[in-house]
Amino acid sequence: MTQDEIIAFIEGLPEVGTVRAGPEDGAPEAAWGDVFFFHEPGGDPARRRNMPFATVVASDYPGFDTASRLDRPGVFRVNIAVGRALFEELVGYPPAAHPEHAGEVDPAQADRIIAHPLYAAQGWVAVVCPGAATSERVRELVRVAREADAARSARRAGGA
């Protein structure tokens, strides 16, 4: 699965809005080219949540996020907000326990579902360069994350 393939897949899901970080939106240069995916009820960016349900990043953020060594040629990472229960199912421990487990897996290893190096406590997982072992599961997890975000949007709309 290439970076373009996963981006196209996510953009093809219903009511998904995309933000590509660049100089025009004030993003830091390290983030330029990274892609953030949001549920947009009715396709309206004004109804977008503040947090994405998935991201695709292709470079390190010096001094902040370098564990996956994304500055290697052709390397990118898919990040997915799967929630606490699915996170535990995928990585074998709850998000709150991540500090005790952080050193158990190389966050630069390709084609493996891992706890996100920085956002594990929030129920995020990551995959560096999804390949044969993870591509289908990544697609499934992105669908689940998008559906969960849509459900949150619907609850908020109902309570507004």
Side-chain angles (χ1 to χ4, degrees):
M1 173 181 283
T2 68
Q3 185 174 347
D4 290 340
E5 288 170 339
I6 189 63
I7 290 169
F9 170 78
I10 300 171
E11 288 179 327
L13 296 173
E15 297 185 316
V16 169
T18 304
V19 173
R20 293 175 190 269
E24 65 282 349
D25 62 12
E29 189 172 349
W32 293 358
D34 291 349
V35 186
F36 302 82
F37 302 97
F38 300 85
H39 174 245
E40 289 184 356
D44 180 1
R47 296 179 62 201
R48 174 186 301 161
R49 290 192 44 188
N50 292 333
M51 293 296 296
F53 65 85
T55 66
V56 176
V57 297
S59 60
D60 287 333
Y61 288 51
F64 180 65
D65 184 1
T66 59
S68 294
R69 300 191 319 268
L70 300 176
D71 286 340
R72 297 173 284 158
V75 176
F76 67 98
R77 186 178 69 210
V78 179
N79 307 303
I80 311 163
V82 297
R84 287 170 171 73
L86 187 51
F87 176 97
E88 185 170 359
E89 178 185 318
L90 292 165
V91 301
Y93 57 84
H98 183 66
E100 296 91 55
H101 295 275
E104 296 173 359
V105 175
D106 177 3
Q109 181 181 354
D111 201 22
R112 180 175 181 180
I113 297 171
I114 62 167
H116 188 285
L118 296 175
Y119 300 117
Q122 289 79 27
W124 282 71
V125 295
V127 180
V128 173
C129 297
T134 59
S135 290
E136 285 307 312
R137 187 69 164 143
V138 164
R139 286 182 185 94
E140 176 188 335
L141 294 173
V142 166
R143 279 190 213 95
V144 167
R146 198 230 61 65
E147 290 168 9
D149 208 18
R152 282 188 293 276
S153 292
R155 283 193 302 274
R156 274 193 310 282

